[in-house]
Amino acid sequence: MAFEESYLATDGQDQKAVAGEMMRLNIGLLAVGLLAVGIARAEVCITQSQMTAADRDALVAAARGLAEKVQANDVSGLRAATVAEYAKDFGGIGELVGTTAAHVKGGLPKVEQVYLLDGTQLKRGADGAAPDAQFFCSLNKSVAEADFLIPGLAPGRYGFAIVDVRDGSSPWRMSFLLRQDQGQWAMAGFYPKPLTAAGHDGLWYWTQARTMTSQKEHWNAWLYYQQAESLLKPTNFVQSTHLDKLKAEEAAAAPPALSDGVSAEAPLVVKGPDGVEYHFTGLGVDDSLAKEKIDVIAHLKVEQLGDATAARKRNTDAMVALLAAYPEMRKPFHGVWIFAEVPGQNPFVTEQAMSEIH
């Protein structure tokens, strides 16, 4: 199936353009791994349209079987279907399975896409260490590609599958990295995530971000681009042509105050009505409260946490200062989370709705 290229549009064209991006994202933003340095060569990637029917059917069946085990909260069954080196310590994955099962229970798992990653020619180092692997997947014979960049990958034949459950309690996605052991596909990685936030999908947030950019609401746009990216990429370790486009738009929409980014080394400094300065080391979005709108998350650098009463007041004052400096945030967000942080200590965290921040 072929898809037309679409570019950034304006006015009535905007929704259509983003829809085109989303369609290609569903086909192409299916990569897993971490960016690694010193990768000597690219391994072989085979997209599902290029696979043999036997390979495609086997990957689809394995992914569906794993998804059904997650739905049933069958931790022991899933562990038995996991490659040996990862099955040894399954506690963290078991907890993740339980959380995910609550979201996908009762839905129909649909395997949206599979990839075959042939790393059989990988060579271990002299010390026996697994090498870094890189897979470039050309999409629909176009210049677009999805890249799997996986450090420390043992030689072998791998697969990557995306399974969506859209008719459960909430739309959810389960991505699986698989490895072929003794002719059978076994789980080598599990990456579940929601497909919506505050009732909207990544396409909606991308469209809204573009609209906000055109309306000069740069803070709102920059944060909505973050939410769009979080929903659209199948794992936290993705690299692709189309996500690069989204990231480029996000960078172009960033407010001038973020020209150097926002980090511990380059904090966003906001002065409150009383002249007190607040140093924010990170800004993001959150949907953990499942409200009608997503929240803003702000990480605040402090010298000491202090007692609970003083810490709570400081967090509230920081919220007031942030919204006084950038009042546009009041409209598209439900509220603000402040994480007051001192190195080596647990943060002091508070949340308030916009209507409570004065």
Side-chain angles (χ1 to χ4, degrees):
M1 183 179 294
F3 298 98
E4 292 182 322
E5 281 292 320
S6 60
Y7 299 89
L8 178 62
T10 57
D11 301 326
Q13 297 293 322
D14 197 52
Q15 179 76 19
K16 182 179 179 180
V18 180
E21 297 290 350
M22 179 62 174
M23 186 172 289
R24 292 197 307 280
L25 278 162
N26 283 337
I27 299 297
L29 292 185
L30 308 178
V32 62
L34 294 170
L35 289 176
V37 297
I39 299 176
R41 60 187 292 272
E43 307 310 314
V44 178
C45 172
I46 303 174
T47 59
Q48 69 177 22
S49 63
Q50 299 169 321
M51 288 180 205
T52 65
D55 281 337
R56 184 170 56 250
D57 292 347
L59 275 172
V60 168
R64 183 180 294 114
L66 293 173
E68 290 172 349
K69 286 180 173 61
V70 174
Q71 283 186 298
N73 197 14
D74 181 6
V75 176
S76 60
L78 199 64
R79 183 173 186 172
T82 298
V83 296
E85 59 263 42
Y86 300 119
K88 293 177 181 178
D89 184 7
F90 213 68
I93 296 180
E95 294 179 6
L96 188 59
V97 169
T99 301
T100 306
H103 294 284
V104 299
K105 183 178 181 180
L108 179 64
K110 181 180 180 183
V111 181
E112 295 288 349
Q113 196 74 199
V114 292
Y115 282 76
L116 184 59
L117 310 175
D118 188 351
T120 54
Q121 299 305 308
L122 289 167
K123 304 297 183 184
R124 290 187 179 273
D127 60 354
D132 297 333
Q134 186 171 26
F135 304 87
F136 293 135
C137 305
S138 179
L139 307 175
N140 298 325
K141 299 181 180 180
S142 71
V143 296
E145 65 181 25
D147 304 336
F148 294 70
L149 305 160
I150 312 176
L153 190 70
R157 199 165 185 247
Y158 291 84
F160 188 72
I162 297 291
V163 183
D164 286 357
V165 181
R166 297 180 179 272
D167 54 355
S169 62
S170 58
W172 209 259
R173 168 168 289 167
M174 295 177 282
S175 299
F176 298 96
L177 181 65
L178 304 102
R179 191 176 77 199
Q180 196 170 45
D181 285 352
Q182 298 180 346
Q184 300 297 315
W185 288 107
M187 188 175 78
F190 176 44
Y191 315 98
K193 65 186 306 179
L195 284 170
T196 61
H200 300 290
D201 62 13
L203 168 61
W204 186 87
Y205 283 101
W206 194 344
T207 303
Q208 293 299 306
R210 285 178 165 178
T211 300
M212 290 167 171
T213 300
S214 69
Q215 296 173 346
K216 309 301 181 183
E217 297 178 8
H218 293 292
W219 288 95
N220 294 342
W222 183 68
L223 290 166
Y224 265 46
Y225 272 121
Q226 288 188 39
Q227 183 63 80
E229 181 186 3
S230 176
L231 293 171
L232 291 174
K233 62 184 180 181
T235 77
N236 290 330
F237 320 116
V238 66
Q239 189 76 7
S240 79
T241 305
H242 304 304
L243 268 184
D244 283 347
K245 179 177 178 60
L246 190 155
K247 291 290 290 183
E249 289 185 23
E250 179 184 334
L258 297 179
S259 59
D260 296 326
V262 54
S263 65
E265 294 72 30
L268 172 68
V269 180
V270 176
K271 186 175 292 187
D274 56 0
V276 175
E277 287 187 347
Y278 298 93
H279 292 235
F280 296 101
T281 61
L283 291 173
V285 290
D286 178 77
D287 187 41
S288 60
L289 295 181
K291 298 293 185 179
E292 71 284 356
K293 298 177 183 177
I294 57 176
D295 287 314
V296 176
I297 288 182
H299 294 267
L300 178 67
K301 180 181 178 181
V302 298
E303 297 300 323
Q304 59 182 9
L305 295 179
D307 64 77
T309 300
R312 186 172 292 104
K313 182 180 185 304
R314 181 186 53 224
N315 279 17
T316 298
D317 291 344
M319 295 177 189
V320 171
L322 183 66
L323 295 179
Y326 311 112
E328 69 184 62
M329 292 184 188
R330 286 189 173 274
K331 183 178 179 181
F333 297 100
H334 162 263
V336 179
W337 290 86
I338 296 288
F339 285 68
E341 297 170 334
V342 175
Q345 299 184 39
N346 291 328
F348 185 85
V349 184
T350 59
E351 185 276 344
Q352 287 183 252
M354 292 297 182
S355 59
E356 300 171 343
I357 305 171
H358 305 291

